[in-house]
Amino acid sequence: IRVITPGTVDSSMLEGSRSNYICGLYMDEERAGVCFCDITTGKTHATAFSGGDLNESVANELGRFHPVEAVVNDGAYGREALVSLLREKFGCRVENYGERRFNLADAQRRAEGQFGKEAAAALPQGNPTALMALGGLLDYLYETQKTDLSHINSLEYYEQGRFLELDLTARRNLELTETLRTKEKKGSLLWVLDKTRTAMGHRLIRTWMERPLLSLPEIVRRHAAVQELFSDNLRRAELIRAMSGMGDMQRILARVSNSTAGARDLNVLMRACERVPDILGLLDGFSSALLRRAAGMDSLADVCSDIKNALLDKPNISLTEGNLLREGYAPKVDHLREIRDRGSEYLAKLEAAERERTGIKRLKIGYNRVFGYYFDVPRAAAASLPEDFIRKQTLVSSERFVTTQLKELETEITTASEQICRLEYAYFCDLRRSVGERAARIQDTAEKLALVDTLCSLAEAAVRRNYCRPEMDLSGAIDIRDGRHPVVEQTQKDTLFVPNDARLDRADERVLIITGPNMAGKSTYMRQTALIVLMAQMGSFVPARSATIGIVDRVFTRIGASDDLSAGQSTFMVEMSEVAGILRHATSRSLILLDEIGRGTSTYDGMAIARAVLEYCADKRRLGAKTLFS
């Protein structure tokens, strides 16, 4: 028995390219902990916040993962703005179970039981809210799932400052994973870069895009791997072909762990495992760290052979109606199948043997619904029958007898089909359990395949779109030569995109003021600069002749006019709130895009606001952030 909720729904009902996160959220007056789990892949992420602006920090984190269900405590449920954001912006189901689920001691015990003492110890001891959020979520999962959750074994705790920060407004304005107007993938940055061939790769490239890196060594490692695949067209094409159509190993494994996987699921897993040796052969010889790590994946030969030897190529969808196992896998099943399929031959053999034994030529086997199978013997010959013949009925010209052997054969023939179904199901459950015991190895291989798929996708996009490898450093300067907007250049089929340079630093070229008439491309130029920075920091090549990117800690945008009348906010109020948020959170390492600030009010007031904001951004003593201002 299972309880189905938006965050725990079976993976067969979900879109393969998106993760399906359920969130645990614990908040008090000064601290917040939040964790996200995708139970269809077993991945769990946790982080904690303290200090001011808790609502904003949590909202940005929710925007990164986009949960479909949230389990919250009283402190979080009491923050109306946050609950409203979850329900209205994300369409998320909010479950408030008070404080009882979030007890610290219980949370510690659950986390250690699920992920091991080492993983639980990695959570911050000074701010236990991440642990409490995780404990509350695990309690909810145990209560609803009623099944083994051993595949949920990967816990990542990350501190603030590991990923480039993007607030909800920036994600929306830059159209990273969906367009602003139609909410479709086509026309977004993900649409341009996602050339992945597996569902696992689809999810990973989306994750990389939503969480660009801040660590220079990690970014350079991704670029080095993309460079190797970019330079080797033949091997990249072979890898892409080898991964095309590969099944979703992560989600099948989740169904194996909670005992809902069918025989066809295991066959899909087996066919994916069959391709791993070819992929390992193609990865041999690469020198970059990420591709060498991927080349260490387990070939899963034992998993592949176990499933292949056991299951038919096209087994039944239903697990309780037989027709699952190959001939030769289970001798008991083979014997019963032979009896079921050749019952009449067995009866004929028994009839011939008994005629010979008794010497009665007219002895024959008959059947009726009352007695089942019986021997029919002429009355004159009945007296000479051996003792093991038991009389059942006397007729005018003949008598009917049964023997123990005949009754046993009858039982086998009439119950063979039922026994076959029962035995095949038992053997299948043993096989599924055996595969589940190797979950950690299968999960590791699936993650490495997703990594290879994502790197191949970025390299393929770079080759097709003529991208260059960006030079990364910590200088804080951005120098892009002949930069192009990655999406606009793909959607403009009839006209050539006019490339532009962009130079910004933290010294004399902190602010660029961009002027021009409507439809001149001001917003496009600003967005392309931000997108090139994001692409570089997620590990992708970029649409430019050359690019040097000093790592940016946050990207802020104030683009386009929109009101929020439902919250009683005019266009001008929305704009001012967003600008205030930018000025409060930006640092000298941030990149800010400001598009026509101060439009929604009178000319002089708007002009005064625009100038004051610009001066604040440019002033090194106050902010000194890299700013594009149109």
Side-chain angles (χ1 to χ4, degrees):
I1 306 300
R2 296 168 67 219
V3 179
I4 300 291
T5 71
T8 62
V9 67
D10 192 275
S11 58
S12 59
M13 304 176 202
L14 294 169
E15 187 188 331
S17 61
R18 299 182 73 123
S19 296
N20 193 62
Y21 286 111
I22 180 170
C23 151
L25 176 58
Y26 180 90
M27 294 180 81
D28 56 29
E29 291 301 313
E30 295 161 9
R31 303 169 303 175
V34 59
C35 72
F36 302 90
C37 176
D38 181 352
I39 74 163
T40 65
T41 62
K43 284 267 194 318
T44 310
H45 312 268
T47 191
F49 309 93
S50 57
D53 298 322
L54 279 184
N55 274 15
E56 208 156 321
S57 301
V58 170
N60 290 345
E61 213 53 38
L62 293 170
R64 207 193 290 271
F65 287 92
H66 217 293
V68 293
E69 184 174 8
V71 180
V72 304
N73 74 323
D74 289 338
Y77 198 72
R79 296 180 184 241
E80 285 178 24
L82 211 53
V83 173
S84 159
L85 173 82
L86 280 165
R87 285 183 174 148
E88 286 159 32
K89 278 278 196 306
F90 302 133
C92 176
R93 177 177 172 80
V94 181
E95 306 268 3
N96 176 25
Y97 283 95
E99 303 299 313
R100 68 178 177 85
R101 281 195 194 278
F102 296 90
N103 177 283
L104 183 57
D106 291 342
Q108 182 82 35
R109 182 173 44 75
R110 288 183 209 116
E112 287 178 1
Q114 190 68 39
F115 300 103
K117 289 191 175 178
E118 205 174 304
L123 295 169
Q125 304 304 307
N127 182 357
T129 52
L131 181 60
M132 290 157 87
L134 179 63
L137 179 60
L138 286 173
D139 185 47
Y140 179 73
L141 292 180
Y142 296 153
E143 188 176 299
T144 55
Q145 292 314 281
K146 322 273 186 206
T147 183
D148 178 32
L149 293 174
S150 59
H151 70 288
I152 300 177
N153 55 16
S154 160
L155 174 62
E156 176 201 34
Y157 172 73
Y158 57 95
E159 292 177 353
Q160 295 312 296
R162 182 174 166 195
F163 301 112
L164 185 148
E165 287 282 322
L166 285 165
D167 61 18
L168 289 171
T169 311
R171 285 174 197 282
R172 205 169 58 240
N173 285 330
L174 294 175
E175 300 184 312
L176 297 184
T177 57
E178 61 183 26
T179 59
L180 203 53
R181 255 182 338 144
T182 60
K183 306 290 180 195
E184 289 175 353
K185 180 182 173 183
K186 186 174 181 180
S188 68
L189 182 62
L190 185 62
W191 169 68
V192 172
L193 292 183
D194 186 4
K195 303 282 174 269
T196 53
R197 296 307 171 102
T198 67
M200 305 169 290
H202 284 314
R203 291 193 295 271
L204 185 61
I205 197 167
R206 180 187 278 268
T207 300
W208 281 16
M209 189 170 290
E210 290 178 331
R211 303 162 79 191
L213 298 169
L214 292 179
S215 160
L216 183 60
E218 280 187 63
I219 295 168
V220 170
R221 268 198 291 275
R222 286 184 185 177
H223 285 158
V226 174
Q227 179 71 61
E228 277 199 292
L229 292 163
F230 177 88
S231 306
D232 195 334
N233 287 328
L234 195 62
R235 269 210 279 181
R236 187 182 71 253
E238 289 291 325
L239 278 167
I240 288 170
R241 189 179 300 119
M243 288 185 289
S244 293
M246 186 181 265
D248 193 341
M249 295 169 74
Q250 291 174 323
R251 287 193 166 169
I252 290 170
L253 192 58
R255 293 204 287 277
V256 167
S257 295
N258 62 30
S259 303
T260 58
R264 295 192 179 191
D265 286 326
L266 291 193
N267 268 351
V268 171
L269 181 63
M270 178 267 292
R271 282 192 283 275
C273 294
E274 275 183 326
R275 300 193 195 183
V276 174
D278 292 342
I279 292 167
L280 283 169
L282 290 166
L283 289 172
D284 192 33
F286 282 121
S287 58
S288 63
L290 286 183
L291 289 173
R292 279 210 319 274
R293 187 204 300 169
M297 74 177 85
D298 194 315
S299 67
L300 302 176
D302 56 330
V303 176
C304 183
S305 64
D306 284 359
I307 299 171
K308 196 170 190 174
N309 293 339
L311 299 180
L312 293 168
D313 291 334
K314 288 188 177 175
N316 239 342
I317 292 176
S318 168
L319 297 178
T320 53
E321 292 175 16
N323 204 30
L324 303 173
L325 302 179
R326 281 185 191 279
E327 206 172 313
Y329 179 72
K332 268 187 186 175
V333 174
D334 291 345
H335 172 66
L336 287 166
R337 277 180 185 158
E338 201 170 335
I339 289 171
R340 179 195 65 191
D341 299 339
R342 297 171 58 191
S344 54
E345 288 178 37
Y346 279 90
L347 288 168
K349 274 185 192 171
L350 181 62
E351 184 180 86
E354 292 297 2
R355 271 182 193 163
E356 198 170 319
R357 181 162 78 102
T358 59
I360 301 168
K361 293 283 183 277
R362 286 171 60 197
L363 177 145
K364 62 179 187 289
I365 290 177
Y367 176 83
N368 69 25
R369 287 187 176 181
V370 180
F371 300 128
Y373 289 103
Y374 55 82
F375 291 110
D376 190 88
V377 181
R379 286 188 74 174
S384 62
L385 284 170
E387 286 182 6
D388 58 335
F389 276 71
I390 302 158
R391 182 181 280 104
K392 276 289 176 189
Q393 191 178 23
T394 302
L395 303 178
V396 176
S397 58
S398 65
E399 295 200 23
R400 292 174 175 176
F401 294 84
V402 295
T403 64
T404 308
Q405 192 179 3
L406 179 63
K407 280 288 139 193
E408 283 172 0
L409 183 58
E410 179 188 339
T411 303
E412 284 189 328
I413 290 169
T414 54
T415 63
S417 294
E418 192 185 311
Q419 284 189 69
I420 288 166
C421 294
R422 197 169 61 245
L423 272 174
E424 285 203 57
Y425 179 64
Y427 278 115
F428 173 79
C429 288
D430 287 344
L431 174 67
R432 186 168 62 188
R433 199 175 305 114
S434 160
V435 170
E437 284 163 5
R438 290 168 273 189
R441 288 168 51 209
I442 299 169
Q443 221 163 21
D444 181 63
T445 295
E447 281 171 20
K448 285 171 178 165
L449 286 168
L451 175 65
V452 173
D453 193 14
T454 300
L455 292 169
C456 282
S457 172
L458 294 176
E460 184 73 9
V463 170
R464 284 198 211 172
R465 318 277 191 233
N466 190 25
Y467 292 173
C468 73
R469 179 177 177 174
E471 294 293 319
M472 306 300 295
D473 59 37
L474 297 171
S475 66
I478 294 171
D479 186 359
I480 298 164
R481 302 298 167 97
D482 289 345
R484 314 184 305 275
H485 192 296
V487 182
V488 175
E489 73 166 348
Q490 290 312 304
T491 51
Q492 278 194 323
K493 296 294 178 195
D494 306 328
T495 52
L496 281 172
F497 188 94
V498 179
N500 279 286
D501 296 353
R503 279 198 292 281
L504 288 156
D505 59 33
R506 287 196 281 183
D508 298 332
E509 294 189 84
R510 290 189 296 285
V511 176
L512 298 183
I513 298 179
I514 300 129
T515 65
N518 292 339
M519 289 299 290
K522 300 188 297 295
S523 297
T524 300
Y525 174 72
M526 290 164 67
R527 280 192 175 102
Q528 91 186 23
T529 306
L531 287 175
I532 286 172
V533 168
L534 279 174
M535 287 169 73
Q537 290 187 216
M538 73 174 270
S540 170
F541 283 17
V542 299
R545 182 162 51 83
S546 70
T548 303
I549 309 288
I551 288 174
V552 165
D553 66 349
R554 293 187 72 154
V555 174
F556 294 95
T557 64
R558 166 81 281 284
I559 297 172
S562 63
D563 49 29
D564 189 355
L565 297 177
S566 61
Q569 294 193 324
S570 66
T571 305
F572 180 66
M573 181 63 183
V574 170
E575 186 174 276
M576 290 303 101
S577 301
E578 288 181 7
V579 171
I582 291 170
L583 299 183
R584 196 162 62 242
H585 295 111
T587 71
S588 60
R589 291 177 59 208
S590 301
L591 174 64
I592 302 174
L593 312 185
L594 297 172
D595 189 9
E596 302 180 10
I597 295 291
R599 276 171 307 189
T601 187
S602 66
T603 307
Y604 287 110
D605 289 354
M607 192 59 202
I609 290 167
R611 177 166 182 157
V613 169
L614 188 55
E615 286 179 356
Y616 183 89
C617 290
D619 189 340
K620 266 186 167 179
R621 288 165 303 177
R622 288 168 153 184
L623 187 51
K626 294 179 286 292
T627 307
L628 293 172
F629 192 100
S630 75

